[in-house]
Amino acid sequence: MKKSIGKKACQMMFGLSNGSTKIENELIDRMLAHGVQGMVIYPVDGAFYSEKILRMSMDGFPVVLVDRYLPGINACSVYSDDRRGGQLLGEYLLGRGHRRIGGIFKSDDMQGLARYEGYTRGLLRHGITLQDQWVTWFNSESRDNLLTDEYGVSRLLGKIASCTAVVCYNDAVAVKLEKAFAAHGVRVPQDKAIISFDNSQLGELASVGLTSFDHPKESMGACAARKLISMMSGREETSTVMDWGLAERNSV
């Protein structure tokens, strides 16, 4: 496919990893074999980065990472600061009078860990003592089973029984939590508020619309494309941190 990006005519290849590191590596190899001169990559979730991305960056191959900053990789990134995002979510709830704020976070990717760190920092900065039982963790393997069985739901609801609000890793988790609350007679936001990340259609179409911080997706993609074209022309580029947006709905 040929498109014009600015005044540059480019031939583009697209690939979808479906969240698989194996497929991601195969796509990178396939594109390199076709002689591509640069890549914009949305890396697979994970606390550890791809060795192939590391190798390309070490070799000076133009790579721009989208929505990820991977420490130790000398690759240009366009991303939102997840630590800052976690802190902002916590402070948003604090500003609305909540003091007992639970959280559900993903343990095996950098976004989840950074969002948790920001959440804890936000609470501690305002003198809120964090309780271990307020936080629930899941990973890539347990993601699909999160909040799907009565035991898991009852256990989580017991952990956050004293909380008045919950910070969720993303909208998919928040929608599951909202459904679990509804099944157990917990009203949102009257009994417990929910706030999350992504501002996706899931959150928009939820029975109680989710208040959610979002990535400026179009701006992020456009910025990444401009940086890649610049790097392919021999210029140096630095990473860019994008501001968070906020979609306020009815869950807080």
Side-chain angles (χ1 to χ4, degrees), residues 143-208:
R143 174 180 53 198
D144 293 340
N145 296 322
L146 180 69
L147 295 171
T148 57
D149 64 278
E150 184 57 33
Y151 172 77
V153 169
S154 297
R155 183 170 179 272
L156 187 147
L157 293 183
K159 291 178 66 174
I160 61 173
S162 66
C163 295
T164 61
V166 184
V167 171
C168 291
Y169 168 77
N170 62 16
D171 287 353
V173 171
V175 167
K176 282 188 174 184
L177 180 62
E178 187 177 295
K179 290 178 178 178
F181 280 162
H184 285 257
V186 178
R187 298 170 302 166
V188 178
Q190 295 91 336
D191 300 324
K192 295 192 192 296
I194 300 176
I195 193 168
S196 65
F197 287 91
D198 283 353
N199 185 26
S200 66
Q201 266 197 321
L202 283 174
E204 186 177 355
L205 299 175
S207 56
V208 177

Side-chain angles (χ1 to χ4, degrees), residues 72-225:
I73 287 187
N74 186 30
C76 184
S77 298
V78 181
Y79 66 103
S80 298
D81 185 338
D82 286 293
R83 287 179 181 82
R84 177 65 177 154
Q87 182 176 328
L88 288 171
L89 259 67
E91 291 179 343
Y92 181 89
L93 293 171
L94 288 167
R96 279 149 184 76
H98 297 280
R99 292 295 179 269
R100 299 186 302 277
I101 303 172
I104 304 176
F105 299 97
K106 194 165 184 279
S107 63
D108 61 345
D109 72 36
M110 291 180 179
Q111 285 185 315
L113 298 175
R115 290 172 185 180
Y116 168 75
E117 182 181 341
Y119 150 84
T120 58
R121 285 186 178 184
L123 297 187
L124 293 172
R125 281 186 59 189
H126 289 81
I128 307 298
T129 301
L130 182 67
Q131 305 294 323
D132 288 343
Q133 68 267 23
W134 291 355
V135 178
T136 295
W137 292 96
F138 68 98
N139 59 29
S140 297
E141 291 184 357
S142 63
R143 174 180 53 198
D144 293 340
N145 296 322
L146 180 69
L147 295 171
T148 57
D149 64 278
E150 184 57 33
Y151 172 77
V153 169
S154 297
R155 183 170 179 272
L156 187 147
L157 293 183
K159 291 178 66 174
I160 61 173
S162 66
C163 295
T164 61
V166 184
V167 171
C168 291
Y169 168 77
N170 62 16
D171 287 353
V173 171
V175 167
K176 282 188 174 184
L177 180 62
E178 187 177 295
K179 290 178 178 178
F181 280 162
H184 285 257
V186 178
R187 298 170 302 166
V188 178
Q190 295 91 336
D191 300 324
K192 295 192 192 296
I194 300 176
I195 193 168
S196 65
F197 287 91
D198 283 353
N199 185 26
S200 66
Q201 266 197 321
L202 283 174
E204 186 177 355
L205 299 175
S207 56
V208 177
L210 291 173
T211 293
S212 183
F213 275 56
D214 75 338
H215 309 280
K217 301 174 184 65
E218 291 187 8
S219 298
M220 193 176 283
C223 181

Side-chain angles (χ1 to χ4, degrees), residues 10-30:
C10 302
Q11 184 174 3
M12 296 187 290
M13 294 180 63
F14 294 91
L16 182 63
S17 68
N18 289 317
S20 165
T21 301
K22 180 176 181 292
I23 295 175
E24 178 183 87
N25 289 334
E26 290 173 352
L27 288 169
I28 290 173
D29 284 340
R30 189 181 309 161

Side-chain angles (χ1 to χ4, degrees), residues 198-249:
D198 283 353
N199 185 26
S200 66
Q201 266 197 321
L202 283 174
E204 186 177 355
L205 299 175
S207 56
V208 177
L210 291 173
T211 293
S212 183
F213 275 56
D214 75 338
H215 309 280
K217 301 174 184 65
E218 291 187 8
S219 298
M220 193 176 283
C223 181
R226 288 193 297 268
K227 286 181 181 293
L228 184 63
I229 295 297
S230 176
M231 293 166 67
M232 289 167 59
S233 300
R235 291 185 287 272
E236 290 188 6
E237 289 286 342
T238 58
S239 294
T240 294
V241 181
M242 309 291 283
D243 292 331
W244 289 99
L246 175 63
E248 293 186 278
R249 299 191 180 94

